[in-house]
Amino acid sequence: IPSPDEPQSAYCLLCEYVEFPEDYSWVIFKLRDNAKFHNGTAIRADDVVTSFKLITSDKAHPQYRDIYKPVASVEKLDELTVKFLLSETNLKSMVFRLGELPVMSHDFWQKHTFGESGQIPQPLSGPYKVGKVEIGNFVEFHRVPDHWAKDSPFYRGLFNFDTVRFEFFRDRTVAFEAFKSGRVDVFYEYVAKNWATAYDFPGVNNGEILKQAITHNIPSGSQAFFINTRRKKFANAKVRKALTLLFDYEWTNKNIFASAYKRSNTFFPNSELGARGLPSPEEIALLEPHKEYLPAKLFEKSFALPVTKGNGNIRPQLREALRLFKSSGWTVKNGKLINKKSGEPFSFEVLIDQQSFARVLTPYLNNLKKAGIDAEIRHIDSAQYKVRLDTLDFDMISFVLPQSLSPSHEQRLYFHSSLANTEGTKNFSGIDNPAIDALIDKIINADNRADLKNATRAMDRVLLWNYYTIPHWHLNYHRIAYQKKLSRPKIAPELHLGFPSWWMK
C-alpha cells in the first residue's frame, strides 16, 4: 500500500515481510496465511507466479512488460513464498514495482482467457468487490463485511461506505447536471471556469452541497500539448519552439481559467524534482557525458517559457516564431506557411476526446493562423481516441502523464527511446534521445533521495530544452464538491485526496 503522506514509502498488506540483499539482485515476498480472494480461496504463491506471467505476456499492455523487464525469473519457494530474480543489480525501485503487482487468481485464469473482454468479474482481494455493472453506464463496488484485512492497522478508519458507484458520462456537462440534480454525490471539478461560475445553484446556495478547495502537496502531472515528432514537420526543435511561442498562456489563464492556474515550467510541477535556475554541479556531472546530444543553452541559461502581457497581443512572440520557422526551412507565402523545398503547407490537427477543451484550443489556433498555419480540432469519442493514441496516429494531443515524488520505471514508459514506436506507448512525442535514456537509468538506479533529485532535474532540463511538448498549467489544491451528508477528516493526507477515509453522516 503506497503511503498517502510519505514519499517513496509503502507498506506490505498481502505479505508478512519483504526480503532482499544489499545489491537488490532478488526480492522475496512471504505471503500472509490468512489472505484470501472474495470467493473464499486462499491467496498463495501460485497466484503470484501466474499473475506475473499473465501481466508480462503479449496479451497484457506493453507497459507492464517494460516495467518488469529487469525480472529474469519468478519462482515459488513454497505455498506462501515467492522469489523474483533480477537480471540487473542495484534496482532499488524494483522492490516497489514488484510490490505493486496485482495478484490475480490462478484458478480463475485457468478457466478463462486472459486478454479477452468478458462480463464475468474475476475474484479480487481488497475491501470492495465488483457488484452491479452496466457496460458504459456504471459500475458498483460492494464492501466485503468479512474482508480478511478489515482489522489491519493499514485499513483502520478507511472504506466506510457499503456501496461506491461510479457513473460514466460521455460529456462532463451532462455529468455536472447529474450532480446538480442529486444523482451523483461527489464531483471532482477539472474546469476552472466552471469552478468560478457554475456553482450558483440551489444545492450550493442552501448548503446541501459543499464546495471546497483542499490544498495538497501532490506533484502535478506532466500536462501539455504533446507534439508527435514522428511527423516530419515536427522533427526540428526550432519548429516545436515556434509552436510553443504561439500559445498565449497568460491570455488563456486570465480569460478562460479565471486566473486559477500556475504555468508549468517543468515536467514535474508542484514538487522539488523540477529543474530550476542553472544546472547544479551534480547535474552537470550527469549531463556532461551526453553534451553532443544537448543544446548549448542548457548549460548557460535557466529554462523559461515565453510570457505575454495577457492582452492578446503576441507580436514579439510571433516575430520570433516566424524567425525560427524561416531558419528551419519554412516561409510565409500568400498568408500560408510553406516548406521552401517541397511547397507543402504547414497544417496539422489537434486530437481531443472532450469537446469542452475546444474553448482552450480555439485561441491557440487563431494565433497559429497568424503565422500562416492551418490547424484544426478533431473531436472523436473516447474509444476512437484511445485507439488513435495507442497506434500513434495523431499530430498533437492534450494529455497528462501522472508524476509522483518517487519517479522510477514509469519514466521509461513516458520518455525512453526503446518505447518511441511501440504500440500503446506513453512516449507520445516519440522521444529518441540517448541523453534522456541515460538519465532515466540514473533515476531508476538512484541510491538515495539526493541522487534521485539530481537525475530527475537533469532529465527535466533535457526534455524542456528540446520542446517535445507545450507545457500547460497546474494547481496545488483539489476542487471538489459533495453532498452535505458526507463527512471527511479535518486533516487530509498531503499526497492524496483521502476519499477512502470519508464517511456518511
Side-chain angles (χ1 to χ4, degrees):
I1 301 175
S3 173
D5 52 11
E6 298 171 284
Q8 250 179 327
S9 300
Y11 295 87
C12 202
L13 181 68
L14 276 180
C15 52
E16 287 186 11
Y17 63 79
V18 185
E19 182 181 354
F20 48 86
E22 287 187 6
D23 64 357
Y24 301 99
S25 58
W26 50 262
V27 183
I28 287 177
F29 292 91
K30 175 65 180 295
L31 300 175
R32 297 186 188 276
D33 185 45
N34 65 327
K36 61 182 180 181
F37 292 108
H38 293 152
N39 61 5
T41 59
I43 299 176
R44 295 295 181 254
D46 285 332
D47 300 306
V48 178
V49 173
T50 296
S51 298
F52 180 81
K53 290 179 178 178
L54 288 174
I55 211 165
T56 55
S57 69
D58 57 6
K59 294 182 179 180
H61 195 287
Q63 71 180 40
Y64 294 108
R65 293 198 296 276
D66 187 75
I67 290 173
Y68 295 117
K69 189 177 180 181
V71 179
S73 63
V74 56
E75 178 185 0
K76 168 186 171 182
L77 299 184
D78 59 45
E79 287 300 309
L80 293 173
T81 313
V82 181
K83 180 177 183 178
F84 294 89
L85 184 66
L86 304 184
S87 58
E88 304 173 47
T89 57
N90 298 315
L91 294 180
K92 183 179 181 180
S93 61
M94 280 307 298
V95 178
F96 288 96
R97 301 295 82 81
L98 287 168
E100 294 165 354
L101 176 74
V103 178
M104 300 177 285
S105 167
H106 169 80
D107 291 342
F108 179 86
W109 290 114
Q110 291 295 304
K111 303 169 185 174
H112 298 83
T113 303
F114 187 77
E116 290 187 2
S117 178
Q119 296 192 33
I120 302 175
Q122 61 173 307
L124 305 176
S125 60
Y128 287 91
K129 63 182 178 181
V130 178
K132 296 178 182 178
V133 178
E134 281 189 16
I135 302 299
N137 291 323
F138 69 84
V139 57
E140 285 185 358
F141 293 93
H142 297 168
R143 184 164 60 164
V144 180
D146 59 345
H147 180 244
W148 67 271
K150 65 182 178 66
D151 296 324
S152 167
F154 304 133
Y155 279 0
R156 191 169 297 158
L158 304 182
F159 313 116
N160 302 307
F161 300 112
D162 288 334
T163 301
V164 178
R165 174 176 170 131
F166 290 88
E167 295 268 1
F168 298 96
F169 298 88
R170 293 183 183 275
D171 186 272
R172 284 192 62 81
T173 302
V174 178
F176 187 60
E177 290 301 318
F179 171 66
K180 288 167 63 176
S181 70
R183 178 178 167 185
V184 175
D185 296 313
V186 182
F187 194 83
Y188 197 107
E189 184 59 74
Y190 293 97
V191 181
K193 181 181 178 182
N194 288 356
W195 189 248
T197 64
Y199 285 79
D200 182 14
F201 60 90
V204 175
N205 297 333
N206 64 24
E208 289 303 311
I209 291 177
L210 304 179
K211 177 191 174 195
Q212 296 185 344
I214 305 172
T215 58
H216 63 71
N217 291 320
I218 303 171
S220 296
S222 301
Q223 179 175 335
F225 294 126
F226 286 76
I227 304 168
N228 190 348
T229 65
R230 304 169 190 86
R231 303 284 200 254
K232 189 176 180 180
K233 66 178 68 126
F234 299 134
N236 191 323
K238 290 182 180 179
V239 169
R240 302 194 295 270
K241 181 178 180 180
L243 294 173
T244 302
L245 284 162
L246 296 173
F247 177 61
D248 190 347
Y249 163 76
E250 283 69 31
W251 185 94
T252 302
N253 191 38
K254 178 182 177 182
N255 291 279
I256 296 180
F257 299 146
S259 300
Y261 292 107
K262 298 178 181 179
R263 186 76 192 269
S264 299
N265 271 276
T266 171
F267 279 71
F268 301 89
N270 203 40
S271 85
E272 63 177 354
L273 299 172
R276 57 198 68 186
L278 292 171
S280 67
E282 292 81 7
E283 291 174 64
I284 291 174
L286 294 170
L287 293 164
E288 283 280 3
H290 314 288
K291 207 167 185 176
E292 62 182 297
Y293 304 110
L294 305 175
K297 289 183 179 179
L298 182 150
F299 296 92
E300 302 164 0
K301 295 175 62 178
S302 58
F303 181 85
L305 290 165
V307 178
T308 70
K309 294 181 179 180
N311 60 5
N313 183 353
I314 63 161
R315 283 190 175 184
Q317 291 76 23
L318 180 59
R319 282 196 298 269
E320 175 64 10
L322 290 173
R323 186 190 68 78
L324 289 168
F325 281 128
K326 185 176 180 179
S327 66
S328 305
W330 298 85
T331 186
V332 177
K333 187 175 181 180
N334 298 325
K336 301 291 184 182
L337 191 64
I338 304 294
N339 187 281
K340 294 176 184 177
K341 289 184 178 180
S342 67
E344 172 194 4
F346 199 114
S347 63
F348 66 92
E349 69 176 22
V350 185
L351 202 65
I352 63 172
D353 66 342
Q354 289 285 344
Q355 184 60 41
S356 61
F357 202 73
R359 67 193 181 94
V360 178
L361 282 166
T362 300
Y364 179 42
L365 268 57
N366 290 337
N367 287 340
L368 292 170
K369 191 173 183 179
K370 293 174 184 177
I373 297 172
D374 287 326
E376 61 180 30
I377 300 168
R378 176 65 63 86
H379 176 221
I380 57 178
D381 66 38
S382 297
Q384 288 179 297
Y385 186 75
K386 184 180 187 307
V387 171
R388 292 280 295 270
L389 263 59
D390 284 348
T391 57
L392 309 174
D393 182 18
F394 59 87
D395 295 327
M396 182 185 289
I397 58 169
S398 174
F399 204 85
V400 186
L401 296 173
Q403 297 289 6
S404 72
L405 283 174
S406 308
S408 182
H409 283 81
E410 77 284 346
Q411 304 304 310
R412 282 180 54 87
L413 302 175
Y414 300 165
F415 310 124
H416 201 278
S417 61
S418 64
L419 292 163
N421 296 295
T422 302
E423 185 168 322
T425 183
K426 291 293 191 294
N427 185 350
F428 295 122
S429 291
I431 297 169
D432 185 356
N433 189 315
I436 292 175
D437 291 350
L439 290 167
I440 290 173
D441 289 340
K442 294 290 185 182
I443 291 170
I444 293 172
N445 296 316
D447 288 329
N448 51 60
R449 187 73 188 169
D451 288 350
L452 178 68
K453 184 166 65 176
N454 290 326
T456 307
R457 287 182 174 180
M459 183 183 74
D460 192 31
R461 293 183 193 280
V462 182
L463 291 167
L464 291 168
W465 279 100
N466 278 284
Y467 293 92
Y468 294 118
T469 71
I470 303 174
H472 282 182
W473 44 82
H474 67 278
L475 286 174
N476 64 346
Y477 58 90
H478 302 286
R479 292 182 298 216
I480 194 162
Y482 56 93
Q483 295 282 346
K484 182 184 176 182
K485 62 185 178 183
L486 302 178
S487 290
R488 64 180 184 86
K490 292 182 180 179
I491 301 176
E494 293 187 355
L495 303 176
H496 197 274
L497 174 59
F499 183 74
S501 66
W502 292 27
W503 65 91
M504 189 81 72
K505 285 185 180 178

